Amino acid sequence: MTRTSRNVLTATAIAAAVTGFSLLGGGTAAATTLAGSCSGTVIGPAGEAVAVDSAPVADIVRAAAKEKARFLNGVDPDKLANKVNREGVIPAGTIPGAGDGAFSGAQVAKIVGTRLEKDDGDGLGPWVDLTGVKKDTLEHIKSKVSGLCGLTLRAKAEPSSQPTPPQQGGTAGTHGGTPAPGATPLSGTGDARAPQRDYSGIPTASAGVAVPPELRYPPSSGVPGQGTPEFGILGADQGTADGTADIRNAGNADPLAAGESPNDVQLPMLLAVVALAGVTAALVRTWVLRRV
């Protein structure tokens, strides 16, 4: 075997070993549930890792930084958001096996603060920070993230592996038992339900009996505490001696005198009108007699 052949075989063996180890590592890696928001509830299999997408967190950082940005104070919202996104997703722990777990907003803020403090706090304030702009901006951003973020980690309910016991069949009213209210009566000996062939034995509501809404069929003796309504024609049972119905006015109304109005015609006005009419008639009579 020549030296070239040995080199080729050695390289092939190394490549195969590296590929095998990479496949082994990929097969044993735990699955991760990615949360699209830094708040809410994440439901997944117990023991599975949870990570938060950095994009919504970066948006919160950008909005909080804009509140602190001033003219030439060195606060760069876009640069701070890029620093959060640059390191990828934010690990949020694992889903517990029982009960609810939590990944609080303070924990998210701590990871965000660590990312923003890198590169000597570039984007948080001026290079020469004499007034504490960087610290003030960082605390403001962490406060915003802590207040807006917070996850609840909950395990997904596993389906029950126990088979459902079969129901006892039988004919309704016999050994098969009584069906639940509202269900189709049992007919036959199997588990299936089918409509009965004869419905003559089902009680029905009788006319003239008031039934409460929660009572489907009233008893034959009537509803307790509630009388049966009666029907009839007005005036058919009661009347006067001559056979006519006794009709009376409903209520008791008395007429009231109308109050005086300033526009009413008074007695002096009536006397004046009568006197004027008499004088007018005398003048007309005199004028007619003189013309004749």
Side-chain angles (χ1 to χ4, degrees):
M1 182 180 295
T2 61
R3 179 178 298 179
T4 304
S5 300
R6 287 197 300 269
N7 292 337
V8 171
L9 291 176
T10 303
T12 304
I14 294 174
V18 171
T19 304
F21 284 122
S22 62
L23 292 176
L24 181 61
T28 58
T32 302
T33 299
L34 181 62
S37 174
C38 66
S39 61
T41 302
V42 178
I43 301 177
E48 188 170 275
V50 179
V52 180
D53 187 8
S54 62
V57 181
D59 293 338
I60 298 175
V61 171
R62 181 183 291 105
K66 287 182 179 179
E67 297 176 0
K68 287 296 182 178
R70 298 294 185 271
F71 181 68
L72 297 178
N73 70 340
V75 178
D76 192 340
D78 293 331
K79 182 180 292 187
L80 296 176
N82 291 334
K83 291 175 69 174
V84 175
N85 279 325
R86 186 171 57 193
E87 298 189 26
V89 298
I90 299 174
T94 58
I95 296 178
D100 291 345
F103 186 67
S104 64
Q107 293 174 286
V108 181
K110 182 178 180 180
I111 297 175
V112 170
T114 303
R115 296 185 179 186
L116 296 179
E117 288 176 340
K118 292 183 178 181
D119 301 331
D120 198 20
D122 185 23
L124 291 172
W127 284 103
V128 181
D129 188 11
L130 301 178
T131 58
V133 176
K134 291 184 178 180
K135 181 179 179 181
D136 183 44
T137 304
L138 181 61
E139 292 300 325
H140 179 71
I141 293 175
K142 291 172 65 176
S143 176
K144 287 288 185 179
V145 173
S146 177
L148 296 176
C149 293
L151 289 174
T152 300
L153 310 180
R154 183 174 302 166
K156 183 187 301 183
E158 296 293 338
S160 177
S161 59
Q162 298 180 355
T164 304
Q167 298 181 355
Q168 296 294 332
T171 305
T174 60
H175 64 297
T178 303
T184 305
L186 291 175
S187 178
T189 58
D191 296 334
R193 295 182 182 270
Q196 291 182 345
R197 297 181 180 179
D198 186 8
Y199 290 92
S200 60
I202 298 179
T204 58
S206 57
V209 179
V211 181
E214 66 275 4
L215 189 60
R216 176 176 295 183
Y217 300 110
S220 58
S221 60
V223 180
Q226 185 174 2
T228 303
E230 298 179 356
F231 303 93
I233 302 175
L234 182 63
D237 298 333
Q238 297 180 355
T240 59
D242 55 358
T244 59
D246 185 12
I247 301 176
R248 300 180 181 180
N249 293 330
N252 186 16
D254 295 328
L256 299 177
E260 296 183 358
S261 174
N263 296 328
D264 293 344
V265 179
Q266 304 295 332
L267 181 59
M269 179 65 69
L270 293 176
L271 295 177
V273 171
V274 172
L276 180 60
V279 172
T280 303
L283 290 176
V284 171
R285 181 177 178 276
T286 302
W287 179 77
V288 171
L289 292 175
R290 288 181 180 180
R291 294 284 295 180
V292 174

